[in-house]
């Protein structure tokens, strides 16, 4: 009976994380529609991704700590309620400024739920089974970041932009009800001191890792944020085909998550070092063959797999620097990745506005070069064998 309750709890947490991440990243698939519907440029429409990510980056290390002393069930219900209301407003507004506000406000509460989901999942099982429980919740993160994009695109294409936004709200509402009915009250016992967790920021390895993750995630999502725009204007694909391509990318991303576990277990450092070069090669191929539909299927497949591997690399690269403070490390991880998304989407948007959509890949390559430098600097000051 306890096993059933634990599995149900982890499933609710996983679905909840899917809803939170889907709200953040699902709009990528409908970016051109948002630009047309609100009569703004595609670069300005990109603010709904970059500002959301910036809010998460700001609140990542702080708000989870501030709410750490409250009943975890109440905190999760609070966050889900805020996301539900924000998505309802996004679905019915016709004003772009209100749309931005309705997305940015919930974004500040994003790290609270995600960090709690990891913590609660780990605490619901034995210490030995904690990694398995956390990995299941991480599926929700991956699914929300990639599968939500094609799903939202299909809904918008079949119905309307407002219905696509309402889809986010429906997911949040379902999780809110499930949490209210099936998640037990979870008052916090012993609270970790802020000073003990903040002390990890005194290490140079932490800052090298943060820089690398910002640049790696900027390289992935800076280009990916404009994938629909690229497929529409460069590859000249229809919206139905674009939805299929986004679905292929999402499925490939899940495959990448599976492969990443094996790669990081076998040789973590080598996997991290190779990643920027592998993704850079894909971006160069995309630049030269992106106009042709047939090669794009293979490019999107390989790109999705690498992006899935990259997401796991990012978490490993941060959490491995502070194993004694996992909650704070997860907050830093969320901040770093979302800051990378913000900077990446902004810089790649500038490449589009100045040079054209096809040149968005050079923004990604720029970030990959910077990530390689950061990875080299971390490896030069930290010997994994010595500190194992």
């Amino acid at each position: 009976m306890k096993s059933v309750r634990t599995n149900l709890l982890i499933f609710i947490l996983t679905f909840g994380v899917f809803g939170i991440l889907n709200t953040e990243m699902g709009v990528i698939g409908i970016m051109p529609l948002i630009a047309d519907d609100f009569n703004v440029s595609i670069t300005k429409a990109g603010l709904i991704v970059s500002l959301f990510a910036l809010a998460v980056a700001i609140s990542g290390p702080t708000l989870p700590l501030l709410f750490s002393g409250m009943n975890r069930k109440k905190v999760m219900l609070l966050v889900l309620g805020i996301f539900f209301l924000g998505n309802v407003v996004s679905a019915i507004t016709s004003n772009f400024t209100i749309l931005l506000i309705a997305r940015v406000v919930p974004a500040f509460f994003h790290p609270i739920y995600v960090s709690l989901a990891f913590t609660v999942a780990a605490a619901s099982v034995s210490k030995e089974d904690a990694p398995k429980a956390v990995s299941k919740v991480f599926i929700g993160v991956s699914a929300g970041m990639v599968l939500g994009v094609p799903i939202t695109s299909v809904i918008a294409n079949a119905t309307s932009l407002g219905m696509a936004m309402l889809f986010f709200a429906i997911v949040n509402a379902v999780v809110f009800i499930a949490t209210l009915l099936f998640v037990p009250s979870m008052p916090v016992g012993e609270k970790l001191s802020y000073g003990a967790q903040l002390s990890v920021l005194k290490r140079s390895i932490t800052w090298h890792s943060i820089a690398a993750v910002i640049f790696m995630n900027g390289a992935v999502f800076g280009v990916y944020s404009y994938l629909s725009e690229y497929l529409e204007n460069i590859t000249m694909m229809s919206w139905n085909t674009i939805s299929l391509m986004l679905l292929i990318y999402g499925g490939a991303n899940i495959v990448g998550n599976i492969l990443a576990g094996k790669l990081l277990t076998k040789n973590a450092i080598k996997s991290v070092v190779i990643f920027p070069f592998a993704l850079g090669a894909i971006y160069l191929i995309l630049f030269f063959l992106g106009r042709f539909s047939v090669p794009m299927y293979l490019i999107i497949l390989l790109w999705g797999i690498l992006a899935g591997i990259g997401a796991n690399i990012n978490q490993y690269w941060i959490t491995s620097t502070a194993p004694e403070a996992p909650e704070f490390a997860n907050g830093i991880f969320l901040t770093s990745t979302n800051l990378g998304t913000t900077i990446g989407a902004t810089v790649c948007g500038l490449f589009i506005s100045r040079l054209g959509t096809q040149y968005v890949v050079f923004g990604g390559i720029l970030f990959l070069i910077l990530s390689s430098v950061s990875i080299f600097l971390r490896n030069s000051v930290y010997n994994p064998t010595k500190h194992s």
Side-chain angles (χ1 to χ4, degrees), residues 131-246:
K132 294 181 181 178
V134 172
S135 68
K136 291 178 181 178
V137 176
F138 202 84
I139 292 175
V141 176
S142 300
M145 293 178 73
V146 292
L147 294 183
V149 174
I151 292 173
T152 306
S153 179
V154 169
I155 294 174
N157 187 51
T159 55
S160 66
L161 180 62
M163 287 301 297
M165 294 286 192
L166 196 59
F167 166 67
F168 303 150
I170 293 173
V171 174
N172 297 143
V174 171
V175 180
F176 182 94
I177 295 172
T179 302
L180 183 65
L181 296 178
F182 301 111
V183 174
S185 178
M186 293 177 285
V188 176
E190 184 179 355
K191 181 181 177 182
L192 293 175
S193 68
Y194 296 155
Q197 298 184 66
L198 291 171
S199 63
V200 303
L201 295 177
K202 297 178 180 179
R203 309 168 187 167
S204 61
I205 182 178
T206 301
W207 291 103
H208 290 314
S209 301
I210 290 173
V213 169
I214 288 173
F215 293 135
M216 281 192 286
N217 213 58
V220 173
F221 284 98
V223 182
Y224 180 60
S225 295
Y226 301 98
L227 176 56
S228 297
E229 172 80 0
Y230 193 98
L231 294 175
E232 181 183 23
N233 294 323
I234 303 301
T235 318
M236 306 299 289
M237 289 183 168
S238 67
W239 267 104
N240 287 334
T241 306
I242 290 174
S243 298
L244 174 61
M245 297 296 273
L246 293 174

Side-chain angles (χ1 to χ4, degrees), residues 255-333:
V255 174
N257 284 321
I258 297 172
L259 293 176
K262 299 179 180 178
L263 292 173
L264 291 174
T265 300
K266 186 176 181 180
N267 195 324
I269 301 300
K270 183 178 180 180
S271 300
V272 176
V273 171
I274 291 176
F275 174 77
F277 296 95
L279 184 58
I282 292 297
Y283 281 171
L284 287 176
I285 295 173
L286 175 62
F287 178 77
F288 289 109
L289 300 180
R291 294 182 180 275
F292 305 101
S293 297
V294 175
M296 278 300 293
Y297 284 94
L298 180 59
I299 292 170
I300 293 296
L301 178 65
L302 295 176
W303 183 7
I305 292 174
L306 283 174
I309 294 173
N312 286 265
I313 283 176
N314 286 336
Q315 192 202 29
Y316 165 80
W317 212 232
I318 293 290
T319 55
S320 62
T321 66
E324 75 279 16
E327 290 186 359
F328 185 56
N330 278 324
I332 297 175
F333 161 67

Side-chain angles (χ1 to χ4, degrees), residues 84-132:
F84 171 76
L85 292 175
N87 283 321
V88 169
V89 173
S90 299
I92 63 177
T93 187
S94 58
N95 184 286
F96 187 72
T97 301
I98 294 177
L99 174 64
L100 285 178
I101 295 172
R103 283 184 54 81
V104 171
V105 172
F108 282 102
F109 294 84
H110 168 295
I112 301 173
Y113 188 93
V114 176
S115 296
L116 276 178
F118 286 130
T119 302
V120 171
S124 67
V125 297
S126 65
K127 185 176 181 180
E128 292 74 22
D129 292 330
K132 294 181 181 178

